[in-house]
Amino acid sequence: MPKLSASDNNLRWATVGLLFIAMVNAYIDRGNISMAAPVLTEELLLSNEKKGWIFSAFTLGYALMMIPAGRLVDLYGVKRIYTIFYLLWGICSATFGLAQVFWHFVALRVVLGFCEAASGPASFAFIADYFTEKERGLASGIFLAGTKIGPAIGAVIAAFLIENFGWRMLFVLSGLVPLIWILPWWSWVSKIEKRPHMKVKDKKDAEIESQNNSVPPKKVGFLDIIKKRKTIGIFLGYFCYGSVWYLYINWLPSYLYDSLGLSIKDTGWWAAYAYGGLAVVTILAGFAADKLIAAGGTETKVRIRFIVAGFLCGAAIMLIPYVEGQTAIFTVLLIAISGMGLATANTWAIMQTIAPKGTVGTLSGIQNFGATSGGFLAPLLAGYAVGDSNNYNTVFIVAGALMLIGILSYVAVIGKVEELEFET
């Protein structure tokens, strides 16, 4: 990549800021149902099993659309596809305010999952196109911090709106107000697309140019990608991560409200502390990893070590059944949830390095499909595990075990972090 002017550099980082804002909005929309769940439980007489179905319905739609959305991004470009999907998810989120019965929430959650499915592939495709390997940890960290800040901000906002205006207004406002985001997004990406010098050239591009070879590289098929061992490792590792993360964003408010006896307001604040800590750690870990790589560290050693550390912190959740008192429980929760941020940006930076040109949308779709597959199963099964007893111990132990399995996926299955090779 040639040296960029100050305006070019500011524009691409400002666009990352827009990606961050979009993810804040996405995770507010996803988390609203969790904050409203205690109220909905009383109003609609929902059992924990039914709440599990409502929570998991989102990830069913998200998982089913994830890989197709990634392919659409690769085929038709980031700007167009993300704009369409963003508009649809805002409208869908607002429609929750009209829901009346259990199945309305299930159906709308499935549709919301479909509509938000392009957010990850589009964002990572943009970062891969306009940021070098040494910058992607920070860029990914900023973007991914939105997935943690969203639930943090959303928990506080939701608690305020529910207590003062009711749960319906919560969904209407959070769905319609953020649609203004589309205006700067379309404008800024249009400007970037008119400046081709801003795009990062990968190694194969450089080889083709140096050989004055005008023959384009062979298109990589979907089946070629999913057969690779590293792709399988990415899927499995993020299945474990996603299972645990979706447990938190769906069931943490209910655990704080039902098991620890917090009010809606206090539930919102404590959830915000946990998610906010995760956001801060995500950004710092991405930045630190970039600096270590720039100083001479290999991407394999640096990023894998951060991932191992993050997953080990996440495994600390297994201690919850063995500690007593709110202070001790909150401490373990903060370590387990915030510590996962050590891994977050680095898992996605690895995916972008592994993905050959023109496949980032597809490979990010596969990685997110792993997360959302776990995100569908884990909250649903948790509803049955918690049942009428409101005992979460089994859920916490299984979550910790999944974190340990995730470590094996990154260390033993993915191994060396390098671009996938295909026959040309």
Side-chain angles (χ1 to χ4, degrees):
M1 172 188 277
K3 186 177 175 73
L4 299 178
S5 67
S7 62
D8 288 342
N9 197 44
N10 291 339
L11 183 58
R12 65 185 185 132
W13 283 105
T15 306
V16 171
L18 280 181
L19 296 176
F20 164 82
I21 292 171
M23 292 314 295
V24 169
N25 176 43
Y27 274 78
I28 287 176
D29 290 341
R30 298 179 199 188
N32 280 341
I33 196 70
S34 303
M35 286 301 301
V39 177
L40 293 175
T41 298
E42 298 173 3
E43 186 172 321
L44 304 180
L45 302 178
L46 296 178
S47 65
N48 280 323
E49 290 83 358
K50 283 188 175 181
K51 284 198 291 185
W53 278 104
I54 292 174
F55 293 155
S56 288
F58 170 87
T59 43
L60 174 61
Y62 199 60
L64 291 175
M65 193 61 190
M66 182 56 58
I67 293 175
R71 293 302 283 175
L72 286 171
V73 168
D74 287 339
L75 291 173
Y76 299 106
V78 167
K79 180 180 70 175
R80 185 186 309 173
I81 296 302
Y82 204 178
T83 300
I84 294 171
F85 276 75
Y86 189 96
L87 176 63
L88 292 175
W89 103 46
I91 295 172
C92 178
S93 181
T95 307
F96 276 81
L98 304 176
Q100 300 291 333
V101 294
F102 165 70
W103 72 266
H104 288 170
F105 289 97
V106 173
L108 284 171
R109 289 279 288 175
V110 172
V111 175
L112 183 64
F114 267 89
C115 296
E116 288 195 15
S119 58
S123 299
F124 287 112
F126 177 84
I127 291 171
D129 279 344
Y130 296 101
F131 292 85
T132 65
E133 288 181 9
K134 295 178 181 179
E135 299 172 314
R136 288 173 188 163
L138 178 57
S140 297
I142 292 172
F143 155 67
L144 288 166
T147 69
K148 322 308 175 190
I149 289 289
I153 295 175
V156 176
I157 293 175
F160 172 80
L161 291 176
I162 290 169
E163 286 194 334
N164 292 278
F165 302 101
W167 63 267
R168 295 186 187 278
M169 188 58 67
L170 162 67
F171 289 104
V172 172
L173 292 177
S174 62
L176 297 182
V177 172
L179 290 180
I180 195 171
W181 176 92
I182 291 174
L183 298 178
W185 165 255
W186 187 270
S187 174
W188 294 358
V189 177
S190 295
K191 290 178 182 178
I192 290 173
E193 289 177 343
K194 293 176 182 178
R195 304 175 187 181
H197 65 279
M198 292 178 65
K199 204 162 192 177
V200 174
K201 290 183 172 64
D202 64 17
K203 294 178 181 178
K204 290 183 179 179
D205 284 334
E207 289 173 3
I208 291 170
E209 286 186 1
S210 65
Q211 297 168 6
N212 292 320
N213 185 350
S214 61
V215 179
K218 177 186 174 182
K219 289 286 186 182
V220 179
F222 177 71
L223 292 179
D224 296 324
I225 296 173
I226 63 174
K227 289 188 294 187
K228 291 292 185 179
R229 175 173 172 170
K230 293 183 189 298
T231 303
I232 295 171
I234 282 173
F235 175 87
L236 292 176
Y238 230 62
F239 175 90
C240 296
Y241 183 100
S243 297
V244 177
W245 172 232
Y246 278 98
L247 276 175
Y248 291 146
I249 62 175
N250 285 301
W251 281 103
L252 181 61
S254 291
Y255 169 71
L256 296 175
Y257 184 87
D258 295 331
S259 294
L260 299 188
L262 300 186
S263 66
I264 288 288
K265 180 180 179 180
D266 289 340
T267 293
W269 279 108
W270 274 108
Y273 295 148
Y275 301 143
L278 177 53
V280 172
V281 175
T282 295
I283 294 176
L284 293 178
F287 177 76
D290 283 352
K291 288 297 184 183
L292 290 171
I293 292 170
T298 67
E299 191 158 8
T300 300
K301 288 183 179 180
V302 172
R303 299 210 189 276
I304 293 294
R305 285 174 181 174
F306 270 89
I307 289 170
V308 170
F311 277 52
L312 284 175
C313 286
I317 198 67
M318 289 191 289
L319 298 175
I320 289 287
Y322 308 104
V323 298
E324 296 181 357
Q326 284 192 359
T327 301
I329 290 173
F330 288 141
T331 299
V332 174
L333 283 172
L334 288 173
I335 291 172
I337 297 176
S338 300
M340 287 173 65
L342 293 170
T344 306
N346 289 290
T347 57
W348 286 102
I350 284 176
M351 181 280 298
Q352 292 169 81
T353 297
I354 288 174
K357 183 177 177 62
T359 66
V360 174
T362 300
L363 202 58
S364 66
I366 292 170
Q367 177 162 315
N368 243 342
F369 180 68
T372 51
S373 298
F376 171 73
L377 292 172
L380 177 61
L381 296 177
Y384 287 92
V386 173
D388 295 330
S389 67
N390 282 328
N391 188 316
Y392 288 75
N393 288 349
T394 300
V395 174
F396 291 138
I397 291 172
V398 172
L402 285 169
M403 289 278 93
L404 297 177
I405 295 171
I407 291 174
L408 294 177
S409 300
Y410 280 96
V411 173
V413 183
I414 294 176
K416 186 177 182 181
V417 179
E418 58 185 359
E419 186 176 298
L420 297 176
E421 293 289 338
F422 298 93
E423 294 182 4
T424 56

